[in-house]
Amino acid sequence: MRLSRYFLPVLKENPAEAQIVSHRYMLRAGMIKQQAAGIYSWLPLGYRVLKRIEQIVHEEQVRAGHIPLLMPTLQPADLWRESGRYDDYGQEMLRIKDRQDREMLYGPTNEEMITDIFRSHVNSYKDLPMTLYHIQWKFRDEMRPRFGVMRGREFLMKDGYNFDVDRESALHAYNRHMVSYLRTYERMGLTAIPMRADSGPIGGDDTHEFLVLASTGESEVFFDSAVTELKLGNRDVDYDNREQVAAVCKEFTTLYARTDETHDAALFDAIPEERRKVARGIEVGQIFYFGTKYSEAMGATVVTKEGNKVPVEMGSHGIGVSRLLGAIIEASHDDKGIIWPEGVTPFPVGIVNLKQGDGAADAACAGLEKALLAKGLEPLYDDRDERAGAKFATMDLIGLPWRITVGPRGLANGVVELTSRRTGESEEMSPEAAVDRIAQIYAGV
Ligand code: ATP
Ligand code: MG
């Protein structure tokens, strides 16, 4: 992509309405535009990151054996009357009437609808286990939408629902979600800690929230600092192996880590003092096991191997896809702008031409662009007729993790400069070597 032909409406000034750094940088980098309180348009750069995040979420869900589908944003009120939540949900639910005066709502979550789909088509243990998920816009008429996409009213969520024949299988589904989420967040360059949480209005026995530590987070969290050292890494997890999956969950949930709702001061005080941490966190996901709460109310049953008809065991599991952009920026930035982790960056590398119009520099940049594209890596090439300082400032603000700087002086010696956004360190090398290095970096992402 050439910047001269792109749409990147960068702001020079700090927008007054943005209270936290991620919101500020998303506005300044031209990623989003607010259309109403808590409702945003995703401008091209923001949209690219959103799609990257969505892609990672899909890949890890499919890897865990979960099946994607798509349910609508609008739902009939009658479904929610069956579970009793139409009246319970309160003002956060946006209620709408169509021209026939039928009551509808913009879905804040999809337990009722997925249970309806399940009961219409499945009635035997032979079709289980089954986990269905979608990535779809939700609407919650939040009392205080704020912090940009972090607490929107319309926001993108991955929500998945497991259907199992018994409690043990449903708990395995819960564990499978935990592991797939750990992998998902790690691929985005995040440390998200599973913390024992309170079940809230969805209701249930077992629930963990995943929290990214950040001073601007809305939740107060208490944890043993050793928990931040745990990494899933590249280990090969067989999602069908109950013991193996449970062992990973145990490893990640044994050290103390809780949100304020479930905090237990006595347990916390038993941790060695130097490891006792109180901090703030951003909730980027939550998993729930709730058993037969919806299946009983809505008549979703299966016939077991023994021939008994039982309500199906369920859980629901969410990831805040659009909130993740904010969380990643809160966790990865400096005073010049965003620093995207390689896994989610909108472009893998930027090319800065120090002297637009110089024959050698223009040709070298075009050559780099072509070579990177041939390797499936689309660079953002700043080909504008701008001062070098302005080009660097834009690249730093939008946070591409790597930059190749091309100028006549370097080219005279056969070199360009490869710079890491994170460390600021630069290295001179031939254009071919720079392309190979970038390809190597992204081969592992
Ligand atoms: P919160 O406590 O932050 O209001 P929640 O617990 O009500 O969130 P869930 O029902 O668990 O939210 O939804 C799953 C995920 O969706 C959350 O973990 C969060 O990452 C994301 N999410 C929830 N509400 C919002 C919102 N208003 N804006 C953006 N993302 C949200
Ligand atoms: Mg939650």
Side-chain angles (χ1 to χ4, degrees), residues 315-329:
S316 69
H317 316 281
I319 293 182
V321 173
S322 50
R323 177 180 286 182
L324 272 165
L325 276 92
I328 293 168
I329 297 172

mmCIF file of all heavy atoms in Angstrom, residues 315-329:
data_model
loop_
_atom_site.group_PDB
_atom_site.id
_atom_site.type_symbol
_atom_site.label_atom_id
_atom_site.label_comp_id
_atom_site.label_asym_id
_atom_site.label_seq_id
_atom_site.Cartn_x
_atom_site.Cartn_y
_atom_site.Cartn_z
ATOM 1 N N GLY A 315 -22.167 -24.065 28.289
ATOM 2 C CA GLY A 315 -21.358 -22.975 28.821
ATOM 3 C C GLY A 315 -21.257 -21.921 27.735
ATOM 4 O O GLY A 315 -21.544 -22.217 26.572
ATOM 5 N N SER A 316 -20.883 -20.694 28.107
ATOM 6 C CA SER A 316 -20.664 -19.697 27.066
ATOM 7 C C SER A 316 -19.357 -18.977 27.329
ATOM 8 O O SER A 316 -18.937 -18.805 28.475
ATOM 9 C CB SER A 316 -21.836 -18.726 26.953
ATOM 10 O OG SER A 316 -21.907 -17.908 28.084
ATOM 11 N N HIS A 317 -18.724 -18.567 26.240
ATOM 12 C CA HIS A 317 -17.328 -18.154 26.313
ATOM 13 C C HIS A 317 -17.104 -16.982 25.367
ATOM 14 O O HIS A 317 -17.357 -17.105 24.171
ATOM 15 C CB HIS A 317 -16.446 -19.338 25.913
ATOM 16 C CG HIS A 317 -16.885 -20.635 26.545
ATOM 17 N ND1 HIS A 317 -16.591 -20.963 27.853
ATOM 18 C CD2 HIS A 317 -17.675 -21.646 26.087
ATOM 19 C CE1 HIS A 317 -17.155 -22.136 28.153
ATOM 20 N NE2 HIS A 317 -17.815 -22.570 27.101
ATOM 21 N N GLY A 318 -16.671 -15.853 25.918
ATOM 22 C CA GLY A 318 -16.581 -14.638 25.097
ATOM 23 C C GLY A 318 -15.191 -14.034 25.035
ATOM 24 O O GLY A 318 -14.412 -14.117 25.988
ATOM 25 N N ILE A 319 -14.905 -13.429 23.895
ATOM 26 C CA ILE A 319 -13.682 -12.630 23.745
ATOM 27 C C ILE A 319 -14.094 -11.251 23.234
ATOM 28 O O ILE A 319 -14.882 -11.145 22.283
ATOM 29 C CB ILE A 319 -12.694 -13.278 22.736
ATOM 30 C CG1 ILE A 319 -12.150 -14.592 23.292
ATOM 31 C CG2 ILE A 319 -11.530 -12.315 22.423
ATOM 32 C CD1 ILE A 319 -11.132 -15.283 22.392
ATOM 33 N N GLY A 320 -13.568 -10.217 23.845
ATOM 34 C CA GLY A 320 -13.878 -8.854 23.423
ATOM 35 C C GLY A 320 -12.984 -8.451 22.257
ATOM 36 O O GLY A 320 -11.938 -7.836 22.451
ATOM 37 N N VAL A 321 -13.432 -8.796 21.051
ATOM 38 C CA VAL A 321 -12.577 -8.605 19.866
ATOM 39 C C VAL A 321 -12.223 -7.124 19.660
ATOM 40 O O VAL A 321 -11.050 -6.767 19.516
ATOM 41 C CB VAL A 321 -13.259 -9.206 18.609
ATOM 42 C CG1 VAL A 321 -12.487 -8.869 17.346
ATOM 43 C CG2 VAL A 321 -13.387 -10.724 18.763
ATOM 44 N N SER A 322 -13.226 -6.250 19.666
ATOM 45 C CA SER A 322 -12.904 -4.827 19.434
ATOM 46 C C SER A 322 -12.199 -4.217 20.646
ATOM 47 O O SER A 322 -11.300 -3.381 20.487
ATOM 48 C CB SER A 322 -14.156 -4.032 19.061
ATOM 49 O OG SER A 322 -15.213 -4.271 19.965
ATOM 50 N N ARG A 323 -12.553 -4.667 21.855
ATOM 51 C CA ARG A 323 -11.857 -4.148 23.042
ATOM 52 C C ARG A 323 -10.379 -4.489 23.010
ATOM 53 O O ARG A 323 -9.538 -3.747 23.530
ATOM 54 C CB ARG A 323 -12.490 -4.716 24.319
ATOM 55 C CG ARG A 323 -11.767 -4.262 25.583
ATOM 56 C CD ARG A 323 -12.384 -4.814 26.844
ATOM 57 N NE ARG A 323 -13.658 -4.152 27.168
ATOM 58 C CZ ARG A 323 -14.378 -4.433 28.258
ATOM 59 N NH1 ARG A 323 -13.969 -5.351 29.103
ATOM 60 N NH2 ARG A 323 -15.509 -3.785 28.489
ATOM 61 N N LEU A 324 -10.039 -5.617 22.367
ATOM 62 C CA LEU A 324 -8.642 -6.039 22.341
ATOM 63 C C LEU A 324 -7.723 -5.002 21.702
ATOM 64 O O LEU A 324 -6.566 -4.876 22.095
ATOM 65 C CB LEU A 324 -8.513 -7.380 21.598
ATOM 66 C CG LEU A 324 -8.687 -8.608 22.499
ATOM 67 C CD1 LEU A 324 -8.907 -9.852 21.666
ATOM 68 C CD2 LEU A 324 -7.469 -8.784 23.417
ATOM 69 N N LEU A 325 -8.227 -4.252 20.723
ATOM 70 C CA LEU A 325 -7.360 -3.222 20.124
ATOM 71 C C LEU A 325 -6.893 -2.251 21.193
ATOM 72 O O LEU A 325 -5.720 -1.909 21.262
ATOM 73 C CB LEU A 325 -8.089 -2.454 19.014
ATOM 74 C CG LEU A 325 -8.077 -3.109 17.654
ATOM 75 C CD1 LEU A 325 -9.283 -3.970 17.474
ATOM 76 C CD2 LEU A 325 -7.963 -2.076 16.554
ATOM 77 N N GLY A 326 -7.848 -1.804 22.014
ATOM 78 C CA GLY A 326 -7.495 -0.891 23.091
ATOM 79 C C GLY A 326 -6.544 -1.533 24.083
ATOM 80 O O GLY A 326 -5.551 -0.926 24.501
ATOM 81 N N ALA A 327 -6.834 -2.781 24.433
ATOM 82 C CA ALA A 327 -6.010 -3.466 25.438
ATOM 83 C C ALA A 327 -4.577 -3.644 24.936
ATOM 84 O O ALA A 327 -3.612 -3.465 25.689
ATOM 85 C CB ALA A 327 -6.625 -4.820 25.780
ATOM 86 N N ILE A 328 -4.439 -3.986 23.664
ATOM 87 C CA ILE A 328 -3.094 -4.197 23.116
ATOM 88 C C ILE A 328 -2.310 -2.877 23.132
ATOM 89 O O ILE A 328 -1.143 -2.833 23.502
ATOM 90 C CB ILE A 328 -3.164 -4.786 21.686
ATOM 91 C CG1 ILE A 328 -3.732 -6.211 21.739
ATOM 92 C CG2 ILE A 328 -1.784 -4.788 21.028
ATOM 93 C CD1 ILE A 328 -4.124 -6.791 20.381
ATOM 94 N N ILE A 329 -2.991 -1.789 22.775
ATOM 95 C CA ILE A 329 -2.297 -0.495 22.769
ATOM 96 C C ILE A 329 -1.941 -0.068 24.195
ATOM 97 O O ILE A 329 -0.834 0.418 24.449
ATOM 98 C CB ILE A 329 -3.138 0.594 22.069
ATOM 99 C CG1 ILE A 329 -3.335 0.218 20.597
ATOM 100 C CG2 ILE A 329 -2.469 1.962 22.186
ATOM 101 C CD1 ILE A 329 -4.315 1.112 19.850
#
